[in-house]
Amino acid sequence: MLQRTSLFLALLILASCSKPIPTLEGVDLSKWKDDKNACSGNRAAMATALKTEAQKLKGLSEMDVVDLLGRPDENELYKRNQKFFYYYLTAGPDCPQHGPVPQKLILRFNAMGFAQLVSIEGN
């Protein structure tokens, strides 16, 4: 009986720690994922919607973000096991035609692997 109760409590705690994957209104995720580095311009068309929905990404795990937005265009491992994901909203440096400072979505993950900071920078 004690083992069942302990198992139930452990599962309850684990379930309460995970955040459900949100829906991002105005963001077509299939077009988003197909527009790697924002070279096609599809992400730029969704930039305004993403700005209003970006805070929904806060608290998600790295894997949840990858499931939702696809693999990041760039990532960076920082000190203390922090990680940054970068998704370009306007044509990134790997695109044939790109501007001097591309606009990008930046997610910083803490050492536990959860999005701690979500911001949009650039033009």
Side-chain angles (χ1 to χ4, degrees):
M1 180 72 172
L2 182 60
Q3 288 179 336
R4 285 187 184 182
T5 305
S6 297
L7 179 61
F8 176 73
L9 287 174
L11 290 174
L12 184 64
I13 290 170
L14 286 175
S16 67
C17 292
S18 64
K19 183 177 178 180
I21 296 177
T23 57
L24 302 175
E25 299 297 322
V27 179
D28 183 336
L29 293 173
S30 62
K31 285 184 180 179
W32 173 276
K33 290 176 185 177
D34 290 340
D35 192 9
K36 188 76 173 152
N37 290 308
C39 293
S40 300
N42 292 330
R43 289 184 183 177
M46 296 180 252
T48 303
L50 185 65
K51 286 177 187 177
T52 60
E53 299 287 302
Q55 290 307 310
K56 290 183 178 180
L57 302 172
K58 196 170 186 178
L60 293 178
S61 71
E62 290 178 41
M63 293 311 301
D64 287 343
V65 170
V66 170
D67 287 345
L68 186 65
L69 300 177
R71 295 181 55 80
D73 298 322
E74 292 181 11
N75 61 31
E76 177 183 0
L77 186 60
Y78 197 64
K79 59 186 171 185
R80 295 187 180 184
N81 290 331
Q82 293 182 74
K83 191 180 286 186
F84 289 84
F85 280 6
Y86 302 102
Y87 293 92
Y88 289 105
L89 301 176
T90 57
D94 292 339
C95 298
Q97 296 178 358
H98 64 277
V101 181
Q103 190 176 36
K104 58 187 168 185
L105 170 67
I106 301 170
L107 292 107
R108 183 179 77 194
F109 295 92
N110 61 21
M112 299 292 289
F114 293 99
Q116 185 175 27
L117 173 103
V118 178
S119 67
I120 296 176
E121 295 181 1
N123 293 336

